[in-house]
Amino acid sequence: MKPLFPEREFPALAHRMAEEFEGTGIPEPPLPLTFLDLALSGPEQVFANAIHFQDHCFDVAGEADYAEIVASIMALAGEEWPSATVSATKIVRQGPGGPSARMEIAIEGPGSCTPFDLIAAKDFDWSVVTCLNERLPSGATGRFAAFFDGNAIIVYLTPVQLRELGRLFGHDFISEIEPLQERLPPQGHVEAANSGPSEPLPVWAMAIGLPIGLFAGSQLIAMILRGAPYAISGSTPVSLASAPLEFTFLVAMYIGGVGLFLGCPSYLIARRWRARGRSRRGAASRRAKLR
């Protein structure tokens, strides 16, 4: 491990962490790994190549939070991974169980690599460890690995060092971590899924509404073409200046029918085509990034 300050300060740090943990005991005399154990698992970063994270409550985390965590893990590699800019973007992807909320992680600049997704859920998706290992620069000798004790400890060491740390620590640090189970996105984001809108157009309603709208429109057009005095089929000819309430109501009903039964299908079709256009542009953008 690479301490951030002299090792002689570890005992005081360990006692301070033990008090914060409320009940964590330090044996007398302390075991050889007592101080290392507490230093690794405490909220304060003690080693340049290890960091501790709370594993929960990420369902309220934003893009900046995800980007910061990924960048802090990459920083454990030090000079083996040159500085890069990490960004996170909320997206919705089509997964095995339907649309799922994710964070797309992009790493640009020196040490850049292909983007990858993390499942956005209450717990953090620690498959980030595996994703980063798959994207390490060619000259890197270390590997990211994690130990979970209700939270997460991430380290960056060579494979030999990882095995030795696991032997001393009493627990194995793992580098191959499965992604979290996907979850459905918020209702308002379903249409942003990369597969396009998931809800089909209401064809049956359109099949009924279009004839009604066309009939109402044809009646209005016929009335206008006949000119004054105006009459709708089955009604008495009237002038608009002295039209009775019944005739005004009939005209308003036809106008409403045209707007409702012709306007709504047109709006739904236009919305569907716009969503498909956004989906195609998003897919093209991701393919360009991968190239």
Side-chain angles (χ1 to χ4, degrees):
M1 307 303 298
K2 299 177 182 178
L4 292 174
F5 44 79
E7 188 174 344
R8 64 177 178 271
E9 299 180 20
F10 277 22
L13 173 68
H15 280 281
R16 187 167 72 249
M17 289 184 176
E19 292 175 358
E20 292 179 5
F21 292 163
E22 296 182 357
T24 301
I26 297 179
E28 295 292 345
L31 300 174
L33 264 290
T34 297
F35 298 137
L36 175 63
D37 188 345
L38 286 171
L40 269 175
S41 57
E44 187 174 340
Q45 186 168 2
V46 178
F47 301 101
N49 56 344
I51 194 168
H52 174 272
F53 292 102
Q54 181 182 349
D55 187 44
H56 312 294
C57 301
F58 278 88
D59 47 353
V60 295
E63 296 174 343
D65 300 306
Y66 274 80
E68 181 180 353
I69 288 178
V70 175
S72 64
I73 295 174
M74 291 174 58
L76 301 179
E79 296 180 356
E80 292 197 359
W81 198 327
S83 59
T85 301
V86 181
S87 62
T89 305
K90 289 183 179 180
I91 57 173
V92 177
R93 297 246 196 255
Q94 186 68 25
S100 66
R102 305 189 190 185
M103 285 283 181
E104 183 184 64
I105 306 298
I107 301 173
E108 301 175 347
S112 62
C113 59
T114 56
F116 59 89
D117 291 355
L118 297 177
I119 304 298
K122 179 180 179 181
D123 296 335
F124 193 82
D125 184 359
W126 292 112
S127 65
V128 63
V129 169
T130 303
C131 294
L132 291 177
N133 281 330
E134 294 171 348
R135 292 162 173 79
L136 279 168
S138 57
T141 60
R143 301 279 292 175
F144 297 103
F147 168 69
F148 302 104
D149 60 351
N151 291 300
I153 301 171
I154 312 296
V155 299
Y156 182 80
L157 295 166
T158 66
V160 173
Q161 290 171 330
L162 282 173
R163 288 194 294 271
E164 181 65 12
L165 177 62
R167 186 183 68 81
L168 294 173
F169 196 58
H171 305 283
D172 290 333
F173 285 75
I174 55 176
S175 297
E176 301 295 329
I177 302 172
E178 293 293 325
L180 287 178
Q181 290 186 349
E182 298 180 352
R183 68 172 188 173
L184 293 178
Q187 186 66 30
H189 294 278
V190 172
E191 291 184 1
N194 294 326
S195 61
S198 58
E199 296 182 2
L201 287 172
V203 177
W204 64 270
M206 293 171 62
I208 297 174
L210 282 174
I212 297 175
L214 291 173
F215 172 75
S218 67
Q219 291 296 306
L220 288 174
I221 293 172
M223 182 192 75
I224 295 171
L225 291 178
R226 281 195 296 267
Y230 296 101
I232 291 179
S233 179
S235 67
T236 304
V238 298
S239 64
L240 293 182
S242 59
L245 180 62
E246 294 83 359
F247 181 80
T248 304
F249 177 77
L250 187 62
V251 171
M253 185 178 65
Y254 276 117
I255 293 174
V258 172
L260 178 63
F261 294 109
L262 292 184
C264 286
S266 301
Y267 169 76
L268 291 173
I269 293 172
R271 187 175 178 181
R272 172 59 60 89
W273 281 108
R274 286 183 59 191
R276 287 182 176 176
R278 287 195 300 267
S279 177
R280 285 193 294 268
R281 288 192 297 272
S285 175
R286 287 187 295 276
R287 286 194 296 269
K289 286 184 179 179
L290 290 174
R291 287 197 293 269

